Amino acid sequence: MLYLDKLLTTIKKDPNIFKSKDVILKLGLASGKIKDLKKYATENGYIFSQKQEYFLTQKGEDYLLQNSPQIWNTKEFPLRPIVNVEYLKDEKMVPVLSRAIRLLAKHLIEKEPLKEFSLEHALFEDIKKYEKLIIKLENELLNNKKNNLETINNKYLELGLTKSLISVLILAILVKNLDRVAIYEKSQFQLKFDSLMFDRMIACPENFEIQKTEIDDEFILKDVSKIILNKKSNNILEITKGLYTTIKQLDKYSMNTENLSKKTLRLRNIITNAKDPINLFTRDIPRGLSGKSLEDCDRAFLNDLKIALNELKNCTKNLTKELENFILECFQAKSKEELSDRFLAIKDFIGEKELKILYNNVIEINVSNDLWINRIATFINKFRVPKDWSDEDYANFKIKTKELALKFSILEATLGTNESFVSKNYHKVLNNFLNLTKAEKMILLRKLVNNL
């Protein structure tokens, strides 16, 4: 029976093996398999129990003589490490091992608790014995080139390793170097590495590539990192995550508006369409802003990058200031306090619904300028907040604001509360009109009415 030699060898060394909680760790087998082996060995006379201890029968001794455990790391396959978990030696990955590797990945990647004295715990303990092999494989994976996992798998399969062992080794390497490797699935860079992705790596290694993201002696990259991370780093993955964090914090208006400088628009488009963090910083952003590769860039590139990022970060803040200036300009007011006083002066005569709602927003001046402007702009543009606007929303806001300002000005003029909107020519024209004869006035008024 498969693994019977391992069971008998272990019992011969330790008759109390079944009393210990770490029986799974010692045998490197699942609890169900251990139970089946124990039953089989007992029923077939290979072992017997005495005071809860187990011993080999003569038949068991003879079996070991005839079927001594095979040495796995032979001269033919010297790269094979000493393996305790027996399933790792099998060419085909059994379901119980697949589950254990999955749980181990959840523990190492997502910090989920590891069940003590389990098969995944045994795997975790085994990893510590593979240090030399992990270093060898790590050097091949992290060599500044994209390495396809299927190619790596095939190479190490030829060297006598199994698919399951290679998977555990790669898991250990990725967890160890999580902040300095880029992972690509079907050529698409993956920002987040999790246990589900690792499951896909095991199932379809041909879809995955791995590349080191640290660039040696690239001083300009450290200056780029200082702009994005506020610290120096030569790790492109770390810088990419910092840049994407900045972009994710931008609102809809900042991500959609065309009212930005050409270089800022170019930078935003490059970032949102990026598929590869390495090319993003070594090629795409430098060429987009300066027409050069990263190694040829100078201080002018760094300055352009800083200005473009600041423009993106301050886009909505600048929009709010523009809205404030536009509203005050349309209503010909110097401040929100002045505009509030003018609305209060005519409040008893405001009959139109839109002006009434605008009045309620304008007179709420005991708030910050930003909140005051955003409330007014949200009402004028039909309840959509400015940070979620499109350029079309901004254009519609301008039209609607001018319409409301005109209605407000007419009401002010009718009541005589304010004539600051009237041009210098107004009084001159009025005086000329008043000096006309009654007949001339009637003719002029008729023409004006017909032309309205």
Side-chain angles (χ1 to χ4, degrees), residues 79 81 130-138 156 161 169:
L79 201 61
Y130 308 151
E131 185 177 358
K132 290 183 179 180
L133 185 54
I134 286 174
I135 292 173
K136 176 179 173 57
L137 181 53
E138 183 178 34
Y156 279 81
L161 273 61
L169 295 174

Side-chain angles (χ1 to χ4, degrees), residues 93-289:
M93 192 185 302
V94 295
V96 68
L97 180 61
S98 296
R99 180 179 181 277
I101 293 176
R102 187 177 300 113
L103 292 173
L104 178 63
K106 284 180 175 291
H107 170 68
L108 293 176
I109 301 170
E110 291 147 18
K111 309 303 179 187
E112 289 196 8
L114 194 66
K115 186 178 178 181
E116 197 174 14
F117 308 125
S118 60
L119 187 59
E120 52 270 22
H121 187 185
L123 282 174
F124 180 76
E125 293 298 322
D126 252 16
I127 288 177
K128 300 173 184 177
K129 304 172 185 176
Y130 308 151
E131 185 177 358
K132 290 183 179 180
L133 185 54
I134 286 174
I135 292 173
K136 176 179 173 57
L137 181 53
E138 183 178 34
N139 289 335
E140 290 193 45
L141 276 175
L142 310 184
N143 58 3
N144 289 327
K145 295 187 295 185
K146 281 186 180 179
N147 290 289
N148 182 267
L149 281 188
E150 185 175 39
T151 302
I152 294 292
N153 272 350
N154 290 338
K155 177 181 178 178
Y156 279 81
L157 286 172
E158 291 175 1
L159 294 173
L161 273 61
T162 60
K163 180 181 177 181
S164 55
L165 178 56
I166 296 169
S167 299
V168 171
L169 295 174
I170 289 175
L171 173 62
I173 291 168
L174 291 178
V175 170
K176 177 184 175 184
N177 298 280
L178 206 53
D179 293 328
R180 57 193 294 261
V181 295
I183 300 173
Y184 303 84
E185 185 174 8
K186 295 182 179 179
S187 300
Q188 179 70 48
F189 169 65
Q190 303 298 310
L191 190 59
K192 184 180 179 183
F193 176 58
D194 56 22
S195 57
L196 290 177
M197 183 188 296
F198 184 70
D199 280 349
R200 298 197 299 274
M201 284 183 172
I202 295 176
C204 304
E206 68 277 8
N207 292 340
F208 287 87
E209 294 172 304
I210 294 174
Q211 183 176 16
K212 187 176 78 168
T213 60
E214 287 180 338
I215 296 182
D216 300 325
D217 301 325
E218 197 66 73
F219 297 110
I220 192 75
L221 183 63
K222 292 182 179 179
D223 291 326
V224 169
S225 71
K226 200 169 181 181
I227 294 171
I228 296 172
L229 303 174
N230 293 320
K231 68 175 185 178
K232 288 191 174 183
S233 172
N234 67 337
N235 189 330
I236 286 184
L237 186 60
E238 183 181 16
I239 303 170
T240 301
K241 289 180 178 179
L243 181 61
Y244 281 177
T245 299
T246 298
I247 295 299
K248 283 184 177 181
Q249 290 172 347
L250 298 177
D251 48 54
K252 290 182 180 179
Y253 179 77
S254 302
M255 292 302 295
N256 295 319
T257 182
E258 297 295 317
N259 295 322
L260 297 167
S261 66
K262 289 183 179 179
K263 287 189 176 181
T264 301
L265 286 173
R266 204 175 299 143
L267 176 66
R268 188 184 68 187
N269 291 338
I270 288 170
I271 295 171
T272 53
N273 293 311
K275 295 183 178 180
D276 186 329
I278 308 295
N279 288 335
L280 177 64
F281 283 99
T282 59
R283 182 191 67 193
D284 300 339
I285 292 178
R287 286 184 183 176
L289 296 183

